[in-house]
Amino acid sequence: DHQSSEAGLIDASLILRHSIHQISSRNPSSGSNYDYKMYAIVHKNAEKCSEVLKTVGFEVVLVDNPVQTEEIRGDFLRTTIHKEYCCGIDEFIKLYAYSLPEEIIVHLDIDVAFYKPMDHLYDAILFDKDSPQGIAARQKIEKERKEDVLPEKIGAFITRDWGQVAPSKFPPGYQAGFLVARRDETILPEVIEIIKEGNYTEGLGNDVGWYNSGHGGYVGAKAMQGLMAYYYDHVRDDAVELNMC
């Protein structure tokens, strides 16, 4: 995306890994009960650049795009997806996070650092809602709207890009650089089919974008920001929106 360098990649990956280490059970002072393993989902075209990540503790998962441009049936999406910020169709490799071999996946962009544990989010996913652990965890969740009702079985925690919203003009997009989710291998093929159908209408407003849902026109709408906002608004109902702050 012409925004990165090898030195920047090393620095960012080290800061991210160190911050995760500090809030994990490997640091006794963190108070966390959870360990971690670092994965880097890397596009096959960036294989050479990713070698350095192996030296700083990441397991590199080399992938191709889950959907090729020519497979998209909708004309507008097929002919414009390559222009979408930041990475065009390549951004869909983030979807492979749902299939990593762990019970819980925390998917992040590399320009992130953590300052406190998120055990209550993991507990809320892993433990039944009526168990002592589940009840305690759910009480600690900071929702975007206090009146939101938590799903019976939480599949994911997400945040929204409220900074882009024009009130009453269109719904908020998905923040594609943060996801805490239950491992679910059904999501990848489900979302792939949505992309292949390519039901995306040009424009900005409440009746355009993915399936005329309003998720269109804003930055990243044709890629993950709009796609997963549509998905969690209209296909799945098991995501909890956390307070964006």
Side-chain angles (χ1 to χ4, degrees), residues 46-96:
E47 181 176 9
K48 183 178 180 181
C49 306
S50 71
E51 287 300 311
V52 67
L53 294 176
K54 298 177 182 177
T55 68
V56 295
F58 288 76
E59 179 176 323
V60 172
V61 180
L62 204 63
V63 298
D64 195 1
N65 294 336
V67 176
Q68 301 302 315
T69 302
E70 61 272 17
E71 295 180 290
I72 299 174
R73 299 188 288 274
D75 289 340
F76 178 74
L77 187 65
R78 185 179 64 253
T79 56
T80 60
I81 185 62
H82 66 286
K83 301 177 183 178
E84 188 57 279
Y85 185 84
C86 68
C87 321
I89 198 168
D90 295 345
E91 191 175 22
F92 293 136
I93 68 170
K94 292 181 175 183
L95 293 168
Y96 288 112

